[in-house]
C-alpha cells in the first residue's frame, strides 16, 4: 500500500477511473455540496482536506491504464461536476482562451493514444449503474458534437440519480459570480500546491478493498 498527499491534478496522471459495481449510487445532498464548495471558497483561510481517496490498479493485457475507485467516488464525482459547472458558467468567448478549458479536457477526460484528437476522448470516471448516463451527459455536454451544451440546466430532471441535482445546485450558486471569481475557484481546486487529499494506492494482495 502506498499513501501520498495529492492535489486534484492527480486526475490527469492516469487514464480510466472505474467505480465498481459494489459501490453505492451517488447519494450526496445539498448540505454536502454546500460544505465542499464553502471549503474551496475559503481556501485563503484554511486549506481544504477532503480525506483519503483509495484506488487499486487493474492489470489489463490490452486497453488503457485503469484504476478502480475503492473509496472516494462521492467526493470525486462532486468535484468533477463542480469543475464542469465552473467551465459551463464562463461565457463562450472566455472559454476559447481560458486555461480552464485546457484543464477540463485534461482532468475530466482521457485519450487511449496521445495522438488522438480530443473528440475521441473518453470520460475519465466510469460510473456504474444508472449514474453513468447522467454523469456522462453533464461532463460531455458542450464539448462533443453529439452532446449539445445544456442551455436550461434547471430543466434537468431525474428520479433515478442525484447527479443532475448536484450540477443544478452548482450552476445556480455560480451564476452570479464574476469570471474572475470563477477562475479563482477553479484554481483553488486544481493548483498543484493545494494538497487536498491523501491518495492511497492498494497493491495486489491488499485486503478490505470493498470497505
Amino acid at each position: 500500500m502506498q499513501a501520498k498527499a495529492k492535489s486534484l491534478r492527480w486526475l490527469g496522471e492516469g487514464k480510466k477511473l472505474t467505480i465498481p459495481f459494489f459501490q453505492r449510487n451517488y447519494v450526496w445532498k445539498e448540505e454536502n455540496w454546500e460544505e465542499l464548495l464553502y471549503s474551496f471558497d475559503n481556501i485563503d483561510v484554511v486549506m481544504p482536506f477532503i480525506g483519503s481517496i483509495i484506488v487499486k490498479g487493474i492489470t489489463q493485457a490490452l486497453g488503457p491504464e485503469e484504476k478502480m475507485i475503492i473509496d472516494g467516488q462521492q467526493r470525486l464525482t462532486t468535484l468533477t461536476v463542480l469543475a464542469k459547472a465552473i467551465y459551463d458558467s464562463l461565457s463562450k468567448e472566455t472559454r476559447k482562451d481560458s486555461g480552464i478549458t485546457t484543464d477540463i479536457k485534461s482532468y475530466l477526460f482521457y485519450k487511449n493514444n496521445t495522438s488522438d484528437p480530443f473528440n475521441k476522448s473518453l470520460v475519465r470516471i466510469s460510473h456504474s449503474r444508472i449514474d453513468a448516463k447522467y454523469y456522462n451527459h453533464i461532463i460531455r455536454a458542450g464539448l462533443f458534437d453529439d452532446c449539445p451544451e445544456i442551455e436550461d440546466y434547471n430543466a434537468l430532471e431525474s428520479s433515478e440519480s442525484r447527479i443532475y441535482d448536484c450540477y443544478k445546485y452548482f450552476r445556480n450558486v455560480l451564476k452570479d459570480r464574476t469570471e474572475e471569481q470563477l477562475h479563482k475557484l477553479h484554481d483553488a481546486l486544481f493548483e498543484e500546491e493545494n494538497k487536498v487529499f491523501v491518495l492511497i494506492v492498494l497493491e495486489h494482495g491488499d485486503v478490505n478493498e470493498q470497505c
Side-chain angles (χ1 to χ4, degrees), residues 22 31 65 68 70 90 94 134 146 150 175 177 193:
F22 56 77
E31 58 262 34
E65 176 190 350
M68 183 185 297
I70 304 303
L90 296 172
T94 298
Y134 304 100
D146 66 340
I150 299 169
K175 66 182 179 182
R177 298 199 183 190
E193 62 265 27

Side-chain angles (χ1 to χ4, degrees), residues 12-192:
E13 293 180 8
K15 290 190 175 180
K16 186 177 182 180
L17 294 169
T18 298
I19 297 173
F21 71 91
F22 56 77
Q23 292 279 5
R24 61 182 177 170
N25 289 354
Y26 184 73
V27 297
W28 270 25
K29 301 177 181 179
E30 183 170 335
E31 58 262 34
N32 305 115
W33 308 326
E34 182 179 19
E35 181 180 359
L36 182 141
L37 181 59
Y38 178 85
S39 67
F40 283 94
D41 272 338
N42 290 275
I43 198 168
D44 293 337
V45 179
V46 60
M47 181 64 65
F49 180 67
I50 63 171
S52 60
I53 304 292
I54 304 176
V55 300
K56 186 170 184 177
I58 299 176
T59 301
Q60 293 185 349
L62 298 173
E65 176 190 350
E66 182 176 355
K67 289 184 174 63
M68 183 185 297
I69 301 173
I70 304 303
D71 185 57
Q73 69 114 328
Q74 305 286 323
R75 285 161 286 162
L76 287 176
T77 297
T78 306
L79 287 163
T80 50
V81 170
L82 171 57
K84 185 55 166 40
I86 294 170
Y87 168 83
D88 289 345
S89 298
L90 296 172
S91 68
K92 292 181 181 180
E93 189 62 31
T94 298
R95 291 178 206 161
K96 293 178 182 178
D97 298 317
S98 175
I100 291 178
T101 302
T102 302
D103 284 353
I104 287 297
K105 291 181 176 181
S106 297
Y107 303 141
L108 304 193
F109 302 90
Y110 72 92
K111 297 188 290 186
N112 281 323
N113 305 296
T114 304
S115 61
D116 288 345
F118 177 73
N119 63 17
K120 289 189 176 181
S121 297
L122 302 169
V123 175
R124 188 176 298 278
I125 297 178
S126 177
H127 267 270
S128 61
R129 302 176 182 171
I130 200 69
D131 285 328
K133 171 183 175 182
Y134 304 100
Y135 181 76
N136 289 349
H137 178 207
I138 294 300
I139 300 302
R140 297 181 78 252
L143 292 167
F144 295 85
D145 291 340
D146 66 340
C147 195
E149 184 172 353
I150 299 169
E151 299 289 350
D152 184 4
Y153 51 84
N154 282 314
L156 295 172
E157 294 291 344
S158 171
S159 61
E160 302 172 310
S161 174
R162 289 187 177 149
I163 300 287
Y164 278 172
D165 292 333
C166 176
Y167 178 74
K168 288 193 292 184
Y169 171 80
F170 287 132
R171 287 300 305 273
N172 280 307
V173 170
L174 299 177
K175 66 182 179 182
D176 294 324
R177 298 199 183 190
T178 66
E179 298 206 333
E180 181 180 355
Q181 290 171 327
L182 293 172
H183 276 80
K184 182 178 179 181
L185 177 57
H186 176 88
D187 290 344
L189 290 176
F190 289 109
E191 285 289 357
E192 178 61 36

